[in-house]
Amino acid sequence: MQILTTKFLTKHNTAPFSQIKCEDYVPAITEGIQLTRAEIDSIVSNPEDPTFENTIEALEFSGQTLDRITSIFFNLNSAETSPEMQKIAQEVSPMLTELSNDITLNTALFERIKSVYQQKESLKLNTEQAMLLDKKYKNFSRNGALLAEDKKARLREIDTELAKLKLTFGENVLAETNAYQLHITNEENLIGLPEGTVESARSLAKNQEKEGWIFTLDVPSYLPFVTYAENRELRKELAIAYGKKAFQNNEFDNRQNVLKIANLRHERANLLGYKTHANFVLEERMAQNPEKVNSFLNDLLDKAKPAAEREFKQLTDFAKKLDSIDRLEKWDSSYYSEKLKQELFNLDDEKLKPYFKLQNVQNGAFTIANKLFGLTFTEVFDIDKYHEDVHTFEVSDANGNLVAIFYSDFFPRKGKRNGAWMTSFKPQYIKDEVNERPHVSIVCNFTKPTDTKPSLLTFNEVTTLFHEFGHALHGMLADTTYPSLSGTSVYWDFVELPSQVMENWCYEPEALALFAHHYETGEIIPQEFVNKIKDSANFLEGIATLRQLSFGLLDMAFHGNDPSGIKDVKTFEKATMENTALYPDVAENCMSVSFSHIFQGGYSSGYYSYKWAEVLDADAFSYFQEKGIFNKEVADKFKDNILSKGGTDHPMTLYKKFRGQEPKPEALLKRAGLI
């Protein structure tokens, strides 16, 4: 237990992963909760009048031991979980929710915060201090501090139940992902598949002491199969298996969990005086309210739908001409899109992959960060890690000062959820005149190296790595006083700007020349390939936009209305997505029950933010293009006004300081080829 609750005696105070045992977590979290309660008690019982320092700052720096332990635990529960970890998560989540409620519903504590808040005009606070005070006051007033006692009790019940339901939702999706395998023994069924995909499937079968080849629902296995396998029936089998995760009338079915989560969120919002969960969430977002979000999504839908319908007709005609397919189904989508891309641009991922060796792409991201922000990444081998696939780096600035510790974790495994994300094991903040530097991690699911090939990325995986690296830069370059305003702690519809803007460098010849080298010959990616990547950047952009909008609209349908009338998740989903649907519905499939972004992660009423941030990133990158994509002046402005500032000021204020103006949506529509 001591290992987690005392200062880590490790290099840079990094997490001592190899020394932590599962049985350490519950006692350590229990002790962390007791320490936090003692810190809160000392704030409340302070005989002095409430001040910014003795109340707001004291509250901000309380609970740090507990935060450190829980960030380690919950990060590993996503990246390296086990049945034992999941059991602990179910045990500690209600304890943590109870603590959180005990703090925000503490009347005496709120009175002290309110007292400081009422004096804010006379306190001469700087911008960051004023933002912290505003956030602390709102965190209490928006989360039940003003409620009557009986309503506070109900709020506690709701929060405890929601914490458990979200965990169960994610566990069910992971269990269903791990439960399915497509085992192939007839080599003819592999026709069309890339050599590397076949080799990975063979190696997986070998590991299980089976003949033939095994394909799974992990994206590096699933996606190449549905993109390249000529056997339409097997594409169908795999696609249906992927789409029916947690929708199979078994112990892992998430339908009731979806309805419970949506209804509890709505009840919670009503209890707090808001019309819907979306009204509650969006009050603290750039978009402000559900009407503005729906108007934004529907406006984009009007512009994208005609293009999407044209593209879908083109795809349908192409499939009919090529294979006499009368009706395109969802399992045909990736397959014929790839074939059409090859015909139109003579470009396919298999031609590109040799130029995108994972190590080179990662080094390319490092080099670009060096050119833009003066960062140097040095791999080190004396920092503890939680799995052998993880790599650790010291990140330093131009003067050799430590900026951050960076962890990368790139390959799928049984205990790791699908997808890609950035997270941190320790935030940046300044305390006692020491600028504590952050420990940041990115987690992805890329194709593993095989006996004969290194890990080679598809172009989509290249942009994914750059996307998560953009989030990581936001965390690493943080330079704020308070941890709750540091790094990615910004309005949710602003958090995707640093990640999405980084993807733009993947399309620039000047940037590609730094890392897109053939893994065998060292040859730089040919200019004709670069031109084709740029030319094909908008390929089927209408369809892709429609898909993203459908997810945003589904999120708003669940959270921007009273969900109590929803009797059947599948029926509701189908009706909601009717206006954005191109392919025929698949009866066995339901997207909502594995829509982890909104039912497990933090994107409820926030999925629109990917598109919202695209407006910002297209406008921001057009500034780089104007001045040069490695222009130091623009990069410094981006670092000084956005990456380092976290949530210390309103996002639009920060954006205008960087750009000199509000973002123009035309940049996005132009880039997407929609105008």
Side-chain angles (χ1 to χ4, degrees), residues 50-113:
T51 64
F52 181 80
E53 289 74 18
N54 72 20
T55 301
I56 306 302
E57 275 193 342
L59 178 60
E60 172 68 2
F61 288 111
S62 68
Q64 285 192 298
T65 300
L66 180 63
D67 289 346
R68 193 77 203 276
I69 301 164
T70 54
S71 72
I72 291 169
F73 174 74
F74 284 106
N75 282 332
L76 295 195
N77 194 40
S78 289
E80 184 61 8
T81 195
S82 63
E84 203 179 344
M85 290 278 281
Q86 292 177 356
K87 199 163 158 257
I88 294 165
Q90 291 286 359
E91 184 180 346
V92 301
S93 286
M95 292 158 57
L96 295 165
T97 303
E98 184 184 12
L99 173 71
S100 172
N101 284 149
D102 285 347
I103 294 170
T104 50
L105 302 177
N106 184 321
T107 308
L109 180 59
F110 182 57
E111 285 305 318
R112 288 186 71 92
I113 293 166

Side-chain angles (χ1 to χ4, degrees), residues 308-364:
E309 287 171 340
R310 279 196 306 275
E311 291 165 1
F312 189 69
K313 183 179 184 315
Q314 182 187 20
L315 202 57
T316 305
D317 293 346
F318 175 72
K320 188 164 178 59
K321 184 186 87 176
L322 195 67
D323 289 328
S324 306
I325 299 287
D326 286 326
R327 189 170 92 149
L328 270 191
E329 301 283 359
K330 286 183 179 172
W331 44 89
D332 298 317
S333 163
S334 299
Y335 182 77
Y336 288 106
S337 296
E338 184 61 30
K339 286 261 189 283
L340 180 59
K341 188 163 88 173
Q342 288 175 29
E343 178 161 299
L344 293 177
F345 303 101
N346 188 21
L347 181 74
D348 75 272
D349 270 329
E350 289 310 303
K351 278 186 191 161
L352 295 177
K353 275 168 79 171
Y355 295 95
F356 295 127
K357 181 180 166 184
L358 171 57
Q359 185 128 29
N360 294 347
V361 177
Q362 178 178 261
N363 291 342

Side-chain angles (χ1 to χ4, degrees), residues 29-318:
I29 288 170
T30 305
E31 189 181 330
I33 288 172
Q34 288 164 352
L35 283 169
T36 305
R37 288 190 188 283
E39 288 165 346
I40 297 298
D41 288 345
S42 72
I43 297 170
V44 171
S45 59
N46 189 335
E48 293 172 24
D49 287 341
T51 64
F52 181 80
E53 289 74 18
N54 72 20
T55 301
I56 306 302
E57 275 193 342
L59 178 60
E60 172 68 2
F61 288 111
S62 68
Q64 285 192 298
T65 300
L66 180 63
D67 289 346
R68 193 77 203 276
I69 301 164
T70 54
S71 72
I72 291 169
F73 174 74
F74 284 106
N75 282 332
L76 295 195
N77 194 40
S78 289
E80 184 61 8
T81 195
S82 63
E84 203 179 344
M85 290 278 281
Q86 292 177 356
K87 199 163 158 257
I88 294 165
Q90 291 286 359
E91 184 180 346
V92 301
S93 286
M95 292 158 57
L96 295 165
T97 303
E98 184 184 12
L99 173 71
S100 172
N101 284 149
D102 285 347
I103 294 170
T104 50
L105 302 177
N106 184 321
T107 308
L109 180 59
F110 182 57
E111 285 305 318
R112 288 186 71 92
I113 293 166
K114 192 160 74 172
S115 168
V116 180
Y117 187 74
Q118 286 167 343
Q119 310 166 49
K120 66 177 180 178
E121 302 308 326
S122 60
L123 291 179
K124 298 193 172 68
L125 301 176
N126 64 29
T127 306
E128 186 177 352
Q129 290 170 325
M131 180 61 89
L132 183 72
L133 175 56
D134 194 52
K135 282 207 157 181
K136 290 294 177 211
Y137 177 77
K138 279 184 177 166
N139 186 42
F140 279 71
S141 62
R142 277 169 45 83
N143 285 293
L146 303 168
L147 292 179
E149 286 309 313
D150 60 330
K151 290 188 173 176
K152 282 183 180 177
R154 178 60 189 142
L155 187 73
R156 286 172 180 277
E157 288 170 4
I158 291 172
D159 286 348
T160 302
E161 199 175 343
L162 277 172
K164 284 181 155 186
L165 284 166
K166 284 163 70 178
L167 274 175
T168 304
F169 182 97
E171 286 167 8
N172 288 349
V173 175
L174 182 63
E176 293 274 83
T177 304
N178 289 338
Y180 176 87
Q181 290 190 336
L182 174 63
H183 184 198
I184 289 176
T185 50
N186 180 352
E187 201 164 349
E188 280 184 22
N189 291 327
L190 303 173
I191 294 171
L193 289 175
E195 190 189 323
T197 303
V198 172
E199 195 178 341
S200 293
R202 178 80 195 94
S203 147
L204 191 55
K206 221 165 157 184
N207 291 345
Q208 296 185 22
E209 297 177 351
K210 289 180 180 170
E211 285 303 308
W213 303 265
I214 286 176
F215 297 88
T216 69
L217 300 180
D218 288 322
V219 172
S221 177
Y222 169 77
L223 203 56
F225 196 94
V226 294
T227 305
Y228 295 103
E230 285 186 15
N231 187 319
R232 193 183 187 208
E233 278 308 304
L234 287 179
R235 288 204 313 272
K236 176 181 177 178
E237 183 187 326
L238 201 64
I240 287 178
Y242 191 85
K244 70 177 183 184
K245 288 178 300 204
F247 185 63
Q248 302 192 69
N249 281 321
N250 61 11
E251 61 185 306
F252 304 121
D253 196 296
N254 265 338
R255 274 173 280 195
Q256 286 310 307
N257 292 327
V258 164
L259 293 178
K260 283 178 191 166
I261 291 169
N263 279 291
L264 285 169
R265 283 173 173 166
H266 184 70
E267 186 190 344
R268 187 183 194 278
N270 288 172
L271 203 59
L272 294 165
Y274 294 86
K275 188 180 167 192
T276 67
H277 178 66
N279 288 86
F280 169 77
V281 168
L282 294 167
E283 185 180 68
E284 290 292 283
R285 300 285 193 264
M286 292 175 82
Q288 298 166 327
N289 57 59
E291 294 72 31
K292 199 164 174 184
V293 170
N294 282 318
S295 157
F296 168 74
L297 292 173
N298 284 309
D299 186 41
L300 267 179
L301 179 61
D302 288 343
K303 293 183 171 75
K305 195 170 179 179
E309 287 171 340
R310 279 196 306 275
E311 291 165 1
F312 189 69
K313 183 179 184 315
Q314 182 187 20
L315 202 57
T316 305
D317 293 346
F318 175 72

Side-chain angles (χ1 to χ4, degrees), residues 518-548:
H518 195 285
Y519 80 100
E520 288 173 315
T521 65
E523 173 206 11
I524 290 182
I525 192 167
Q527 185 59 42
E528 62 165 316
F529 282 8
V530 176
N531 295 341
K532 285 173 182 178
I533 287 171
K534 282 191 84 94
D535 291 344
S536 65
N538 291 335
F539 175 62
L540 302 187
E541 181 64 36
I543 291 177
T545 300
L546 209 63
R547 183 172 178 269
Q548 281 293 87

Side-chain angles (χ1 to χ4, degrees), residues 612-630:
W612 184 275
E614 270 190 54
V615 172
L616 299 173
D617 101 65
D619 185 71
F621 193 66
S622 67
Y623 190 25
F624 275 100
Q625 286 174 310
E626 256 169 56
K627 306 280 187 183
I629 65 163
F630 291 116

